[in-house]
Amino acid sequence: MPETPTIWNDIRERIEQPSVALRLPGFGSPRPAGLRDKETYAAWLADQLRAVDGPVDIVGHDWGGHLAMRVVSAYDVPVRSWVSDVAHGWHPDYQWHEAATLWQRSPEGEESLAGLRKSPTGGGYTFGDMLQPRGMSPQLAKEVDDIHDEEMSAAILALYRSTWPNFHADWGRDFDRPVTARGLILTPAGDPGAQPARDRDMTARLRTQLTELDGLTHYWMLQDPERGAGALRHFWASLPD
């Protein structure tokens, strides 16, 4: 979020196994009325995974990473392993970034996202413009801006406003019990929003593996897809058959 499945194309070409990239409802596709918060989005993801012949290795980026962690810790799904690049968001001391805290307020959130939507004349500062300094490609930035409508803004607000003060406050309790699926936490250390120390803490808490992607940004899968795919292949090769 707010990316589209296009973000995974280069990685999927390199991982050498069948894969599918899901599109979150509301991000360039209709959003059913029942998808009103983070829990209903997690339930939607669980339903998608149940429709896939398992076992499944799920890889999540940004909000997809949060939803993946929720699914493996609270839902009965055929998941063998999970990967997330935002596990620090589940740390007890995590505080949301400035944009998120803005979107969690009304009417400031609505006004902010309305200002980031591309105008009919093509001018103005857009969501894609905001994310390119973090490594989003110009091509993907244009795709995001093309689909950023009022429905997408509403979906963004619904997700962020259902997550206060952080994921540990409610969802974190379900990670206090053993989780069958094996996990990998990715830390793209070149991301201005990276929190390596908290990622390492979460690795110890959840008894997962950790791979630090030095020099890579929030959009590591675009910046160096071969290195990203290599990290995934290495992790999967370590899993029991």
Side-chain angles (χ1 to χ4, degrees):
M1 190 287 294
E3 297 82 27
T4 71
T6 302
I7 197 172
W8 295 113
N9 286 354
D10 291 341
I11 290 280
R12 293 175 65 202
E13 290 176 359
R14 291 167 169 80
I15 60 173
E16 301 170 355
Q17 67 181 52
S19 64
V20 60
L22 298 177
R23 180 186 291 271
L24 284 180
F27 297 85
S29 63
R31 180 171 64 112
L35 290 184
R36 293 185 297 271
D37 55 22
K38 69 181 190 296
E39 194 66 67
T40 50
Y41 266 91
W44 170 85
L45 177 58
D47 286 341
Q48 301 300 306
L49 296 177
R50 293 188 187 106
V52 178
D53 291 334
V56 172
D57 298 306
I58 183 171
V59 180
H61 161 67
D62 200 86
W63 263 95
H66 294 310
L67 296 177
M69 292 173 68
R70 177 58 172 171
V71 164
V72 300
S73 61
Y75 288 81
D76 181 18
V77 291
V79 175
R80 180 179 73 147
S81 72
W82 59 272
V83 178
S84 173
D85 58 8
V86 286
H88 54 266
W90 291 59
H91 193 278
D93 298 329
Y94 177 74
Q95 294 181 338
W96 278 110
H97 51 80
E98 184 178 355
T101 57
L102 174 63
W103 297 334
Q104 286 166 338
R105 302 195 302 269
S106 182
E108 292 91 338
E110 285 83 356
E111 294 168 352
S112 167
L113 290 172
L116 291 173
R117 291 198 290 271
K118 186 171 66 174
S119 71
T121 59
Y125 183 75
T126 66
F127 221 145
D129 293 330
M130 184 178 80
L131 295 173
Q132 284 191 68
R134 298 185 73 183
M136 177 177 278
S137 67
Q139 295 83 2
L140 185 59
K142 181 181 184 303
E143 186 174 336
V144 168
D145 288 337
D146 286 343
I147 66 169
H148 185 194
D149 55 10
E150 291 185 20
E151 182 64 42
M152 180 170 144
S153 289
I156 292 170
L157 296 176
L159 286 168
Y160 279 104
R161 290 176 178 177
S162 64
T163 312
W164 180 262
N166 56 31
F167 291 95
H168 177 79
D170 49 8
W171 281 3
R173 292 192 296 268
D174 287 312
F175 255 127
D176 289 339
R177 60 181 178 79
V179 174
T180 302
R182 299 278 291 276
L184 170 66
I185 293 173
L186 294 178
T187 299
D191 183 357
Q195 299 189 21
R198 287 178 178 165
D199 279 338
R200 288 190 288 270
D201 194 4
M202 291 304 298
T203 298
R205 287 170 177 266
L206 303 180
R207 299 175 183 174
T208 64
Q209 296 186 41
L210 173 72
T211 296
E212 294 195 19
L213 301 173
D214 294 335
L216 298 188
T217 69
H218 191 66
Y219 295 105
W220 52 271
M221 70 295 292
L222 298 173
Q223 186 180 11
D224 193 341
E226 183 55 46
R227 188 174 169 193
L232 297 177
R233 291 194 301 264
H234 180 76
F235 170 58
W236 293 329
S238 73
L239 302 176
D241 294 332

